[in-house]
Amino acid sequence: MIELTLRAMRNFPAQQQLQKNALLTMCSDRILQDVDFDRFHASRMVMDCLFAFDDQSMIRMAVAICSILAAKISTKQTAELGTKRNMQKLLQIVKQKADNETADIILKFTLSALWNLTDESPSTCAIFVNEGGLELFIKILQSFPNEASLQTKVLGLVNNIAEVKHLRHFLLRQDFIEHCRRLLGSGHLEVSYFAAGIIAHLAHESIEDWGSCFRQRLDILSALHSKILSWENPESEMVAYRSFSPFFPLLERYDTPEVQLWSVWAMHHVCTKNASRYCSMLLEEGGVDILQRLVSSARVHSDVRAMAHEVLQILLRTKPLPGFKTPAHQ
C-alpha cells in the first residue's frame, strides 16, 4: 500500500486532494516506524507538499511525517534533505507561530523535524545558523517560558549546533548563555539535560574563546556539576544517539571535569536503557578505551571516574569480552 501511495504522490504532484489523502495514509506510526519503504524519497515528496499547498491540515501532517522520517534516514540523506530551501520553509513556519505566540502541534512537529534534520549534519546546522535560526529559537524560549516540550526541542537542536566546533562561537553570546544557565535549573529533566549538553560543548572551548562571556564560565560550570549529580536516571530512554563520536572530545577534557561528567552521564543513561545497541556502539567506535583511561587515571574527578566505571560494568554484563576486565575503581 505504501509503495502505491508514494507512486501516486510522484505521478500527481499538483493534485491537492490526492496529496492530502496520501499524507493521511502515511500518518500512521506503524507505517512510519515499521514498514520498509524508501523513507528518503518519501521525505522529499512530503517536504514538497509544504511548498505546493497552503493547507493547515496538510502542513500539520507533512511536518509530523518529516519529523519522524528524518530520524530514520542516514546522516548523508539528512544533509541532502536539509537544504537551504527546506530549512527556510521550516523556519518560516516556526517564525509564524512565534510571531503569533501559538504553541500548537504544528510548531512542535516542525521543531522536531528541524532537530532531526540537524542531527550530526554540520552543513544543515550551518544553514540553520545562517538563516537566523538561533535568533528565532531564542525568541521561542522568550515567548514560551513555561513550555517544557518546546524548550526541550529547542535545546535539543542547539545541542546539534554545539557539537559542530566551528559553529560554537555563534552560541557564545551572553543572552544565550543566560538562557542556558536558567534552563539548566529546570525541574524538567529533559530541559536541564539538553541545557547542560550545550554548556558542556561550549565549555570544551578555551577561556579565550569565551571572550566577553568568560565571567559566566566559572559560575555555570559549578552549577553544571552540581545539577548533573542531582539528576535521577529516568525510567524511559530520554534521547537517542546515532553515534558516541561527539562525546569523545569532551571526555578528553581532563582539565574540565564538568564537561566529562555530562558526557559520561549521557552515555550511562542510554546504555542503561538500550544496552545492546549502545554497548555495541561503544565497542565499534573505540569508546571503551577512553572510558578505561578515565577509570584508571588519577587526574580524573571521582564523580567522573565512578560514572565511567558504571558504564564499563554495564558493558561487561551485556557483552562479556574474553580477557577484558574493568580497571579497579579507585
Side-chain angles (χ1 to χ4, degrees), residues 157-165 168 171 197-198 201-202:
L157 184 148
V158 180
N159 262 267
N160 293 339
I161 308 296
E163 289 178 1
V164 185
K165 183 173 176 59
R168 288 176 188 157
L171 306 178
I198 296 167
H201 284 289
L202 295 181

Side-chain angles (χ1 to χ4, degrees), residues 23-71:
L23 294 176
L24 281 165
T25 300
M26 293 178 67
C27 268
S28 157
D29 281 340
R30 191 188 71 81
I31 289 176
L32 296 175
Q33 301 283 358
D34 302 328
V35 176
D36 185 30
F37 63 97
D38 188 340
R39 290 182 169 86
F40 176 57
H41 183 56
S43 299
R44 293 178 64 176
M45 290 193 294
V46 170
M47 190 72 76
D48 286 342
C49 287
L50 292 175
F51 293 88
F53 309 108
D54 185 18
D55 179 302
Q56 287 299 299
S57 64
M58 293 183 72
I59 291 172
R60 176 181 55 79
M61 289 187 287
V63 293
I65 293 167
C66 285
S67 72
I68 294 173
L69 294 185

